[in-house]
Amino acid sequence: MIARKIYDFLHINKELKNDKIAIKDHEIEYTYNSLIQEVDKLADYLILANIGRYSRVGIKLENGFSFAVALFACSRIGAIAIPIIEAVTDK
């Protein structure tokens, strides 16, 4: 069995569905091509910041495009993404 990262599956979909909608965040639609571009930019930035394979990266973002970008960028460089979710409490 070949181990794959979720980034690999994103990249495969980009090749098949380049200009199709990958994510819709509120009323904004993002294609696979634009998603991969943002993922690669963030991944390159993380590498410049000495974050790499097996590094732990906390992600504290609302669900949406930015969260997906961060998750895929971590996958691309082999970092471990740790979603940080704020507890919902009654006021």
Side-chain angles (χ1 to χ4, degrees):
M1 178 193 278
I2 298 173
R4 293 201 171 196
K5 301 180 270 186
I6 60 170
Y7 177 82
D8 296 334
F9 293 104
L10 174 63
H11 208 273
I12 289 167
N13 275 297
K14 179 199 175 269
E15 297 303 318
L16 298 172
K17 307 173 185 179
N18 191 31
D19 291 323
K20 302 264 185 191
I21 303 304
I23 294 176
K24 185 173 181 179
D25 186 4
H26 295 79
E27 296 302 315
I28 303 170
E29 296 177 338
Y30 299 93
T31 64
Y32 282 93
N33 190 42
S34 62
L35 175 58
I36 271 277
Q37 286 176 354
E38 292 303 313
V39 167
D40 287 344
K41 277 197 284 189
L42 180 56
D44 291 342
Y45 176 79
L46 292 172
I47 291 167
L48 286 173
N50 290 322
I51 297 169
R53 191 169 189 186
Y54 303 122
S55 295
R56 293 177 296 265
V57 178
I59 302 172
K60 187 175 180 181
L61 295 167
E62 292 182 15
N63 286 338
F65 182 73
S66 296
F67 181 84
V69 168
L71 195 66
F72 283 120
C74 286
S75 173
R76 180 184 147 205
I77 64 172
I80 301 163
I82 304 169
I84 300 170
I85 302 167
E86 288 189 37
V88 179
T89 58
D90 292 331
K91 293 184 179 187

